[in-house]
Amino acid sequence: MAQGIRDKAVILGMGCTSFGERWDMSSDMLMAEAFEEALADSGISRDQIGAAWLGSALDDVNVGNSAIPLATALRLPPMPVTRVENMCATGTEALRAATYAVASGAVDIALALGVEKLKDTGFGGLPIRTKGSVNDLWMPYGSAPGTFAQLAGAYAARHGIDAADLKRAMAHVSWKSHQNGVHADKAHLRKAVTMETILNAPMVADPLGLYDCCGVSDGAAAAIICTPEIARSLSKDALVSVKSVQVCASNGWEMQYGEWDGSYVRNTRIAAGRAYDEADITAADLGLTEVHDCFSITELVTMEDLGLSQDGRAVFDVLDGAFDAGGRLPSQIDGGLKCFGHPVGASGLRMAYEVYTQLKGRAGARQLANIDFGLTHNLGGQPSNSVAAVSVLGRLE
């Protein structure tokens, strides 16, 4: 019977670049920047790393479809290197691979690194991607804002939420992230924005306005994973353990049988339940979350999918400040995708970087008190055809 990975691997060191319009930096340079911080934090040499995983989602505009750029950019010694891709869950997928390698005993120390450089493409959002030379015609003109706007409509219809209340709750989600992003020195957008500005912004896809949508960025993040025994041998204290990493991909059920009403994301609910079980915690044990707020409605619905709000109550929890920096469960304390930025392949590891930083007590002006566990969540694709990734990090007793 499967035993899970809880407390079999710890984070020895992490690094994260500044996210933003990094015109002066190539993908190789961003990888090196994140890696050098992680390496210095870990206290080891690169020769001690036994295997590495590179997360990069949009290979046509980035580093290519192999992991060779990771090996060359970092001048890694001869070792297995692998590229992984799972849409917006790519960074967490790299973390999962490195953690599994250590937890299984295959290697003592492993590297996970995610990178994406999107501002050079010239697109205001994500570049158009296809499935290759043979692409289907399902939703050929679909857009990310349009798809997630439908999530908002379905959520409101299912729970009888007044449109004005939903709009204000979504605005609060974005307002909160802008308030938090001010204190994150590596964030892309570090400016507080008023509720009135958010509510009166131009419409993108009804009911999503400009401030309900996250932008894209350039950036990289990295984690070095090892066994608890190795970390202790290096005199590391306040160890941060990978308690669980769970990934759940859609099998098409949502669009085929008429059972799904479009108001929630089933994959997130399944991945979250498995992650809590593997970590041997409940949602009530969490001290902070970093969730996939590609749009404000996504974060709001995710609070219910993760079991942090009762179904139909996230609107009111949000408006009551439950997920603000001073609320019962702070979310996006570093600004989230909305303000920290969203270089797709790096985002999952950036989320882990924030939870790790909080657990180590290094977050400065945004440091939270009494944190034992933190959660990261990514949602790749769209609500009807997605991959959800949930990880739980916590202190190792």
Side-chain angles (χ1 to χ4, degrees), residues 30-360:
L30 291 170
M31 286 191 278
E33 183 179 325
F35 176 67
E36 290 298 333
E37 181 185 350
L39 199 64
D41 185 30
S42 71
I44 64 169
S45 69
R46 73 189 67 206
D47 293 341
Q48 293 173 266
I49 299 171
W53 280 265
L54 169 65
S56 176
L58 296 158
D59 56 284
D60 290 340
V61 294
N62 196 11
V63 297
N65 58 6
S66 81
I68 293 173
L70 180 68
T72 56
L74 306 185
R75 297 297 188 265
L76 295 176
M79 67 173 68
V81 291
T82 306
R83 176 179 174 267
V84 297
E85 190 276 326
N86 219 342
M87 303 186 82
C88 294
T90 295
T92 303
E93 195 68 80
L95 176 65
R96 183 170 75 112
T99 301
Y100 278 20
V102 170
S104 71
V107 297
D108 290 329
I109 302 175
L111 168 68
L113 190 147
V115 66
E116 213 80 62
K117 187 163 174 59
L118 296 175
K119 299 309 294 185
D120 290 356
T121 67
F123 285 88
L126 294 176
I128 296 172
R129 66 186 298 179
T130 72
K131 297 177 182 176
S133 58
V134 181
N135 195 29
D136 60 47
L137 295 179
W138 184 66
M139 289 188 68
Y141 300 112
S143 71
T147 299
F148 282 88
Q150 294 179 61
L151 176 65
Y155 175 84
R158 175 174 183 169
H159 300 294
I161 304 297
D162 180 76
D165 288 339
L166 180 61
K167 183 67 175 175
R168 182 162 288 278
M170 291 192 305
H172 190 100
V173 167
S174 297
W175 172 85
K176 164 191 51 76
S177 290
H178 276 279
Q179 296 293 315
N180 293 343
V182 170
H183 304 293
D185 58 359
K186 294 183 177 183
H188 189 165
L189 304 175
R190 299 187 62 204
K191 181 179 180 180
V193 180
T194 66
M195 283 285 289
E196 289 71 22
T197 298
I198 297 170
L199 287 167
N200 295 322
M203 191 67 70
V204 175
D206 192 13
L208 304 179
L210 179 65
Y211 286 93
D212 292 307
C213 311
C214 85
V216 297
S217 309
D218 304 332
I224 296 174
I225 309 296
C226 73
T227 64
E229 293 74 20
I230 290 173
R232 292 190 180 106
S233 74
L234 295 169
S235 300
K236 295 286 185 177
D237 56 8
L239 296 181
V240 175
S241 170
V242 183
K243 301 289 184 177
S244 63
V245 186
Q246 290 288 333
V247 175
C248 183
S250 170
N251 64 2
W253 165 87
E254 294 89 345
M255 298 300 289
Q256 293 181 19
Y257 298 105
E259 297 177 31
W260 182 63
D261 64 4
S263 67
Y264 65 100
V265 180
R266 181 189 186 215
N267 295 349
T268 294
R269 296 185 177 216
I270 295 171
R274 292 172 179 172
Y276 296 146
D277 287 346
E278 184 174 40
D280 194 26
I281 66 168
T282 68
D285 294 315
L286 297 172
L288 79 156
T289 67
E290 289 283 329
V291 306
H292 202 82
D293 57 325
C294 51
F295 300 94
S296 56
I297 186 62
T298 319
E299 177 177 337
L300 189 151
V301 171
T302 296
M303 294 298 104
E304 297 182 12
D305 291 340
L306 294 174
L308 308 178
S309 286
Q310 295 181 4
D311 285 358
R313 298 301 303 174
V315 166
F316 308 103
D317 288 343
V318 165
L319 290 172
D320 288 342
F323 308 113
D324 293 359
R328 64 173 170 83
L329 181 57
S331 183
Q332 324 298 59
I333 197 65
D334 63 353
L337 302 182
K338 180 66 183 66
C339 293
F340 208 103
H342 185 27
V344 178
S347 286
L349 280 161
R350 185 274 302 165
M351 294 174 174
Y353 177 83
E354 179 60 27
V355 175
Y356 171 80
T357 300
Q358 291 282 345
L359 289 168
K360 299 288 277 189

